[in-house]
Amino acid sequence: MIGLRPDRLDRVVALGAHCDDIAIGAGGTLLTLCTGRPGLRVDALVLSGGGTPREDEERAALAAFCPGADVDVTVLKLPDGRFPANWEEAKNALEDLRRRTDPDLVLAPRTDDAHQDHRGLAKLVPTTFRDHLALGYEIVKWDGDLGSPSVYQPLSDELAEEKVRLLQEHYASQRQRPWYDREAFLGLARIRGIEAAAKYAEAFFVKKLTLDLKG
């Protein structure tokens, strides 16, 4: 069944093409899940950055974004921006992860993301996690590819601020980028919050959802 039972959320898979994708796109949601469910299992797979300082950043960041959780992080060494040429390795990594876990929720890039690495990873998700609820997170960028999401996770003021603080603290390699700042992260969260009748929110895109409306 492609759905989510609030009374059964024990395992989460988080997927990213690059170190920091997961935290930018779903960091607030991970904080919400992990603070509310101590002992939650989070399996994270990142396609690029392995063996570099960015891997160290990612491991420290995901540990901070998943307080109290049982976190396992795998960071591969696929070259940034060259996903199509390394499709088989990425596919094999996802299939290996699927053999090791049966998640209740998958957090991944959205399928219409303008970045080819994000988009390529997103298109692998339904071929690997066929019967799982997959929420596609968004990452603001110069491409101007923000769309109309259909799923929202409201964030308290404290959680929104904590997300930004952790992003700034753990990803020192990204601080020089013109878009990597407090205004960008909180600005998007504020817009999504308005859409969700909240102060702040993270937004997601879902391709398929199965309902069970039996009493």
Side-chain angles (χ1 to χ4, degrees), residues 93-176:
L94 260 71
E95 290 182 344
D96 178 66
L97 176 59
R98 175 64 184 92
R99 285 189 289 269
R100 292 187 281 113
T101 186
D102 185 20
D104 305 302
L105 174 66
V106 178
L107 300 171
R110 58 192 180 93
T111 55
D112 54 352
D113 192 295
H115 194 298
Q116 64 178 2
D117 291 352
H118 300 172
R119 188 171 63 251
L121 173 57
K123 290 182 177 179
L124 283 177
V125 173
T127 70
T128 307
F129 296 93
R130 294 180 178 273
D131 300 315
H132 303 81
L133 176 62
L135 299 182
Y137 57 73
E138 59 182 352
I139 297 178
V140 64
K141 61 181 77 66
W142 72 271
D143 306 81
D145 63 347
L146 294 177
S148 299
S150 52
V151 179
Y152 297 86
Q153 172 59 52
L155 304 176
S156 67
D157 290 16
E158 294 77 16
L159 272 180
E161 292 284 357
E162 179 70 356
K163 173 183 175 177
V164 173
R165 186 187 70 80
L166 291 176
L167 285 171
Q168 295 290 355
E169 176 183 343
H170 288 286
Y171 295 105
S173 65
Q174 305 303 298
R175 292 175 190 157
Q176 81 283 0

